[in-house]
Amino acid sequence: MTIAKPGPTPVPLTEPFWAAARRGELLLQHCRACGHHQHYPRVLCTRCWHRELDWVPSAGRGRVWTFTVVHRPGHPAWTDDVPYALAIVELDEGPRLLTNVVGIDPVDVEVGLRVGARFTERDGTTLVQFGPEDS
Ligand SMILES: [Zn+2]
């Protein structure tokens, strides 16, 4: 029996992010008042509390800020995927995303590794993952 992998549940606040991912684009919220970029989506700027936020494209590049290699998944749906790299990637624009590092053996992932966005279709949702920048 195959167990479906739980996925994101878009809500009105996050739908622009997921719609962009389906187009192969990474969007960030950008504050009109102070210029701050942020992720995950929120109703106000986390720096100045201004409520007028735009969606702007990210270059989709950054570096591994921290990571772990998962050998025992927290959910049985990922049993066949281990080992895999679960990471926080710091984008060049500043925000940090919880994501996976793909396209590289997990033992070769390291803090500071330059990565670029990869868009992976799964069960009707496009996930934003990252892989080595030069691949
Ligand atoms: Zn702001």
Side-chain angles (χ1 to χ4, degrees):
M1 182 175 123
T2 302
I3 300 172
K5 291 177 179 169
T9 304
V11 296
L13 178 64
T14 62
E15 180 51 34
F17 175 86
W18 296 112
R22 287 192 292 274
R23 301 188 304 267
E25 189 177 12
L26 176 56
L27 292 185
L28 298 173
Q29 284 186 312
H30 178 259
C31 177
R32 289 185 191 173
C34 75
H36 179 65
H37 289 92
Q38 65 185 24
H39 183 84
Y40 53 91
R42 280 161 273 202
V43 297
L44 48 75
C45 173
T46 58
R47 187 162 73 185
C48 76
W49 295 10
H50 195 73
R51 289 186 170 270
E52 291 189 37
L53 299 165
D54 295 317
W55 288 97
V56 298
S58 164
R61 288 191 287 273
R63 65 184 65 246
V64 173
W65 187 73
T66 190
F67 74 100
T68 189
V69 177
V70 177
H71 293 272
R72 286 190 184 193
H75 187 283
W78 278 274
T79 300
D80 293 339
D81 294 348
V82 294
Y84 60 87
L86 180 66
I88 294 178
V89 166
E90 184 175 68
L91 295 171
D92 291 344
E93 294 91 346
R96 295 176 184 150
L97 290 79
L98 179 64
T99 185
N100 297 111
V101 178
V102 297
I104 182 174
D105 189 319
V107 300
D108 294 328
V109 175
E110 56 188 28
V111 169
L113 177 72
R114 292 289 307 171
V115 290
R118 305 283 185 273
F119 299 93
T120 306
E121 173 74 24
R122 192 190 75 205
D123 301 329
T125 299
T126 303
L127 303 176
V128 181
Q129 300 175 316
F130 286 80
E133 198 170 52
D134 296 330
S135 67

